[in-house]
Amino acid sequence: PGSFDPVTLGHLDVIERAAKIFDQIHVLVVHNPAKTALLPVAQRVALIERAIVDTGCEGEIVVTSWSVGLLVDYCTEVGASVIVKGIRSQVDVAYETPMAIVNRNLADVETIFMLPDPAHAHVSSSLVRQVASLGGDVAPYVPKAVADFLQNG
Ligand code: PNS
């Protein structure tokens, strides 16, 4: 789960790694009211789907969105027992740990932290949003489908 506004190469790396471990994964776009959105949720879903196809990512991968309640409600609805999050640094650990504990307390759903390739350690959607909105080149940080979309619409 995440905002994926937009999906980055770091996200895609975690998606590929998780798809190798689990029989089925769900990439879930969740609107985060704490953040100012760049792309509509449906567009984020479409770009993730496109990036997964372009990468040739293997495994059973569902891409969808959730806006009607808690993340764990979605997990319960689809029978998911594990949440996967990518961790770039200690800052991410500090941000993710309370959510992982709350999600476990709410619905007995475990969170697993995965380490993306360090090459993506500095990449974040918020940085991509800022660079893109000021006219910079985001191609090194995002899947080609996202770079094309942000450049050409
Ligand atoms: O990419 P983000 O913005 O860091 O993702 C955060 C997200 C959307 C995964 C998180 O805010 C979330 O799970 N929101 C859904 C609402 C919810 O379940 N809140 C309680 C989680 S502790």
Side-chain angles (χ1 to χ4, degrees):
S3 302
F4 300 106
D5 186 29
V7 65
T8 67
L9 292 179
H11 291 134
L12 203 56
D13 184 67
V14 172
I15 291 168
E16 285 188 83
R17 290 173 198 282
K20 286 182 190 154
I21 295 174
F22 297 97
D23 293 337
Q24 185 189 63
I25 66 166
H26 293 228
V27 183
L28 189 70
V29 178
V30 185
H31 172 67
N32 186 343
K35 295 180 177 175
T36 306
L38 173 72
L39 303 174
V41 167
Q43 187 62 57
R44 300 180 217 169
V45 169
L47 288 171
I48 295 168
E49 283 172 340
R50 184 65 197 276
I52 286 171
V53 169
D54 289 350
T55 315
C57 199
E58 288 179 12
E60 199 176 329
I61 306 175
V62 176
V63 186
T64 188
S65 62
W66 183 248
S67 59
V68 292
L70 292 166
L71 171 60
V72 293
D73 293 339
Y74 178 84
C75 295
T76 304
E77 189 165 296
V78 300
S81 54
V82 175
I83 294 169
V84 176
K85 293 286 189 84
I87 293 291
R88 290 161 298 189
S89 67
Q90 290 301 321
V91 175
D92 283 347
V93 175
Y95 174 68
E96 295 292 349
T97 299
M99 288 197 279
I101 301 292
V102 167
N103 284 330
R104 193 166 65 193
N105 290 343
L106 283 169
D108 212 14
V109 176
E110 295 290 345
T111 297
I112 289 185
F113 294 152
M114 294 189 70
L115 302 176
D117 187 324
H120 306 306
H122 58 292
V123 179
S124 67
S125 294
S126 57
L127 204 70
V128 169
R129 286 198 297 277
Q130 191 173 100
V131 172
S133 67
L134 296 172
D137 180 18
V138 295
Y141 315 118
V142 294
K144 187 174 179 309
V146 175
D148 289 350
F149 179 80
L150 291 178
Q151 201 170 350
N152 307 318

mmCIF file of all heavy atoms in Angstrom, residues 1-4 30 32 35 69-72 85 95-96 99 102-103, ligand 1:
data_model
loop_
_atom_site.group_PDB
_atom_site.id
_atom_site.type_symbol
_atom_site.label_atom_id
_atom_site.label_comp_id
_atom_site.label_asym_id
_atom_site.label_seq_id
_atom_site.Cartn_x
_atom_site.Cartn_y
_atom_site.Cartn_z
ATOM 1 N N PRO A 1 0.824 -1.200 0.000
ATOM 2 C CA PRO A 1 0.000 0.000 0.000
ATOM 3 C C PRO A 1 0.859 1.251 0.000
ATOM 4 O O PRO A 1 1.982 1.260 0.512
ATOM 5 C CB PRO A 1 -0.754 -0.107 1.329
ATOM 6 C CG PRO A 1 0.190 -0.830 2.226
ATOM 7 C CD PRO A 1 0.955 -1.779 1.341
ATOM 8 N N GLY A 2 0.304 2.320 -0.585
ATOM 9 C CA GLY A 2 1.017 3.594 -0.554
ATOM 10 C C GLY A 2 0.254 4.623 -1.345
ATOM 11 O O GLY A 2 -0.781 4.326 -1.958
ATOM 12 N N SER A 3 0.793 5.838 -1.362
ATOM 13 C CA SER A 3 0.171 6.900 -2.155
ATOM 14 C C SER A 3 0.515 6.749 -3.635
ATOM 15 O O SER A 3 -0.288 7.096 -4.507
ATOM 16 C CB SER A 3 0.653 8.273 -1.675
ATOM 17 O OG SER A 3 0.357 8.457 -0.322
ATOM 18 N N PHE A 4 1.741 6.301 -3.913
ATOM 19 C CA PHE A 4 2.205 6.092 -5.298
ATOM 20 C C PHE A 4 1.885 7.301 -6.182
ATOM 21 O O PHE A 4 1.319 7.155 -7.268
ATOM 22 C CB PHE A 4 1.576 4.822 -5.911
ATOM 23 C CG PHE A 4 1.905 3.560 -5.173
ATOM 24 C CD1 PHE A 4 0.959 2.928 -4.371
ATOM 25 C CD2 PHE A 4 3.165 2.991 -5.274
ATOM 26 C CE1 PHE A 4 1.262 1.756 -3.692
ATOM 27 C CE2 PHE A 4 3.484 1.820 -4.591
ATOM 28 C CZ PHE A 4 2.520 1.199 -3.799
ATOM 29 N N VAL A 30 -3.678 4.206 -2.003
ATOM 30 C CA VAL A 30 -4.526 4.752 -0.944
ATOM 31 C C VAL A 30 -4.341 6.263 -0.912
ATOM 32 O O VAL A 30 -3.207 6.752 -0.885
ATOM 33 C CB VAL A 30 -4.137 4.160 0.434
ATOM 34 C CG1 VAL A 30 -5.100 4.635 1.514
ATOM 35 C CG2 VAL A 30 -4.110 2.635 0.388
ATOM 36 N N ASN A 32 -3.785 9.567 0.658
ATOM 37 C CA ASN A 32 -3.278 10.010 1.959
ATOM 38 C C ASN A 32 -3.640 11.485 2.144
ATOM 39 O O ASN A 32 -3.050 12.358 1.511
ATOM 40 C CB ASN A 32 -1.758 9.810 2.005
ATOM 41 C CG ASN A 32 -1.180 10.123 3.375
ATOM 42 O OD1 ASN A 32 -1.825 10.771 4.191
ATOM 43 N ND2 ASN A 32 0.037 9.650 3.618
ATOM 44 N N LYS A 35 -1.184 14.458 2.403
ATOM 45 C CA LYS A 35 -0.323 14.887 1.303
ATOM 46 C C LYS A 35 -1.131 15.591 0.213
ATOM 47 O O LYS A 35 -2.267 15.209 -0.057
ATOM 48 C CB LYS A 35 0.388 13.664 0.693
ATOM 49 C CG LYS A 35 1.346 12.990 1.673
ATOM 50 C CD LYS A 35 2.025 11.796 1.046
ATOM 51 C CE LYS A 35 3.027 11.170 2.016
ATOM 52 N NZ LYS A 35 3.621 9.930 1.490
ATOM 53 N N GLY A 69 -12.061 3.129 3.811
ATOM 54 C CA GLY A 69 -11.826 2.768 5.206
ATOM 55 C C GLY A 69 -10.367 2.499 5.477
ATOM 56 O O GLY A 69 -9.486 2.983 4.765
ATOM 57 N N LEU A 70 -10.144 1.715 6.506
ATOM 58 C CA LEU A 70 -8.780 1.396 6.910
ATOM 59 C C LEU A 70 -8.099 0.463 5.915
ATOM 60 O O LEU A 70 -8.759 -0.344 5.251
ATOM 61 C CB LEU A 70 -8.797 0.703 8.273
ATOM 62 C CG LEU A 70 -9.224 1.548 9.476
ATOM 63 C CD1 LEU A 70 -9.522 0.657 10.673
ATOM 64 C CD2 LEU A 70 -8.157 2.577 9.805
ATOM 65 N N LEU A 71 -6.780 0.552 5.868
ATOM 66 C CA LEU A 71 -6.010 -0.384 5.048
ATOM 67 C C LEU A 71 -6.295 -1.832 5.467
ATOM 68 O O LEU A 71 -6.438 -2.718 4.618
ATOM 69 C CB LEU A 71 -4.518 -0.058 5.220
ATOM 70 C CG LEU A 71 -3.528 -1.025 4.626
ATOM 71 C CD1 LEU A 71 -3.719 -1.137 3.126
ATOM 72 C CD2 LEU A 71 -2.115 -0.596 4.968
ATOM 73 N N VAL A 72 -6.412 -2.067 6.773
ATOM 74 C CA VAL A 72 -6.651 -3.444 7.231
ATOM 75 C C VAL A 72 -8.041 -3.947 6.819
ATOM 76 O O VAL A 72 -8.254 -5.155 6.736
ATOM 77 C CB VAL A 72 -6.444 -3.597 8.753
ATOM 78 C CG1 VAL A 72 -4.976 -3.393 9.121
ATOM 79 C CG2 VAL A 72 -7.352 -2.674 9.532
ATOM 80 N N LYS A 85 6.115 -3.216 3.055
ATOM 81 C CA LYS A 85 6.542 -1.813 2.915
ATOM 82 C C LYS A 85 8.035 -1.773 2.593
ATOM 83 O O LYS A 85 8.807 -2.565 3.137
ATOM 84 C CB LYS A 85 6.299 -1.036 4.218
ATOM 85 C CG LYS A 85 4.830 -0.837 4.597
ATOM 86 C CD LYS A 85 4.168 0.190 3.718
ATOM 87 C CE LYS A 85 2.777 0.569 4.187
ATOM 88 N NZ LYS A 85 2.739 1.582 5.208
ATOM 89 N N TYR A 95 8.769 6.148 10.579
ATOM 90 C CA TYR A 95 7.458 6.488 10.023
ATOM 91 C C TYR A 95 6.554 5.252 9.958
ATOM 92 O O TYR A 95 5.350 5.326 10.241
ATOM 93 C CB TYR A 95 7.684 7.086 8.627
ATOM 94 C CG TYR A 95 6.450 7.375 7.797
ATOM 95 C CD1 TYR A 95 5.548 8.370 8.154
ATOM 96 C CD2 TYR A 95 6.212 6.664 6.615
ATOM 97 C CE1 TYR A 95 4.439 8.636 7.366
ATOM 98 C CE2 TYR A 95 5.104 6.928 5.822
ATOM 99 C CZ TYR A 95 4.221 7.911 6.206
ATOM 100 O OH TYR A 95 3.126 8.178 5.431
ATOM 101 N N GLU A 96 7.143 4.117 9.596
ATOM 102 C CA GLU A 96 6.345 2.915 9.342
ATOM 103 C C GLU A 96 6.028 2.106 10.606
ATOM 104 O O GLU A 96 5.003 1.415 10.651
ATOM 105 C CB GLU A 96 7.094 1.987 8.361
ATOM 106 C CG GLU A 96 7.274 2.563 6.965
ATOM 107 C CD GLU A 96 5.963 2.694 6.193
ATOM 108 O OE1 GLU A 96 4.937 2.152 6.632
ATOM 109 O OE2 GLU A 96 5.971 3.366 5.147
ATOM 110 N N MET A 99 2.592 2.591 12.312
ATOM 111 C CA MET A 99 1.507 2.080 11.448
ATOM 112 C C MET A 99 1.475 0.557 11.481
ATOM 113 O O MET A 99 0.405 -0.057 11.519
ATOM 114 C CB MET A 99 1.693 2.573 10.004
ATOM 115 C CG MET A 99 1.410 4.044 9.836
ATOM 116 S SD MET A 99 1.146 4.528 8.113
ATOM 117 C CE MET A 99 2.813 4.671 7.527
ATOM 118 N N VAL A 102 -0.067 -0.513 14.803
ATOM 119 C CA VAL A 102 -1.518 -0.243 14.828
ATOM 120 C C VAL A 102 -2.249 -1.224 13.918
ATOM 121 O O VAL A 102 -3.296 -1.773 14.288
ATOM 122 C CB VAL A 102 -1.805 1.225 14.411
ATOM 123 C CG1 VAL A 102 -3.292 1.426 14.122
ATOM 124 C CG2 VAL A 102 -1.348 2.176 15.504
ATOM 125 N N ASN A 103 -1.705 -1.485 12.727
ATOM 126 C CA ASN A 103 -2.369 -2.420 11.809
ATOM 127 C C ASN A 103 -2.426 -3.828 12.406
ATOM 128 O O ASN A 103 -3.408 -4.546 12.233
ATOM 129 C CB ASN A 103 -1.652 -2.430 10.452
ATOM 130 C CG ASN A 103 -1.972 -1.190 9.626
ATOM 131 O OD1 ASN A 103 -3.059 -0.633 9.744
ATOM 132 N ND2 ASN A 103 -1.033 -0.746 8.820
HETATM 133 O O1 PNS B 1 2.912 6.278 0.515
HETATM 134 P P1 PNS B 1 2.389 6.732 1.865
HETATM 135 O O2 PNS B 1 1.650 8.045 1.731
HETATM 136 O O3 PNS B 1 3.476 6.814 2.890
HETATM 137 O O4 PNS B 1 1.348 5.614 2.341
HETATM 138 C C1 PNS B 1 0.712 5.712 3.601
HETATM 139 C C2 PNS B 1 -0.556 4.852 3.614
HETATM 140 C C3 PNS B 1 -1.517 5.358 2.552
HETATM 141 C C4 PNS B 1 -0.179 3.415 3.337
HETATM 142 C C5 PNS B 1 -1.191 4.999 5.029
HETATM 143 O O5 PNS B 1 -1.468 6.346 5.254
HETATM 144 C C6 PNS B 1 -2.452 4.159 5.189
HETATM 145 O O6 PNS B 1 -2.354 2.967 5.393
HETATM 146 N N1 PNS B 1 -3.644 4.796 5.050
HETATM 147 C C7 PNS B 1 -4.926 4.095 5.083
HETATM 148 C C8 PNS B 1 -5.754 4.491 6.317
HETATM 149 C C9 PNS B 1 -5.381 3.617 7.486
HETATM 150 O O7 PNS B 1 -5.546 2.416 7.487
HETATM 151 N N2 PNS B 1 -4.807 4.265 8.519
HETATM 152 C C10 PNS B 1 -4.303 3.583 9.677
HETATM 153 C C11 PNS B 1 -2.931 2.973 9.348
HETATM 154 S S1 PNS B 1 -2.011 2.873 10.770
#
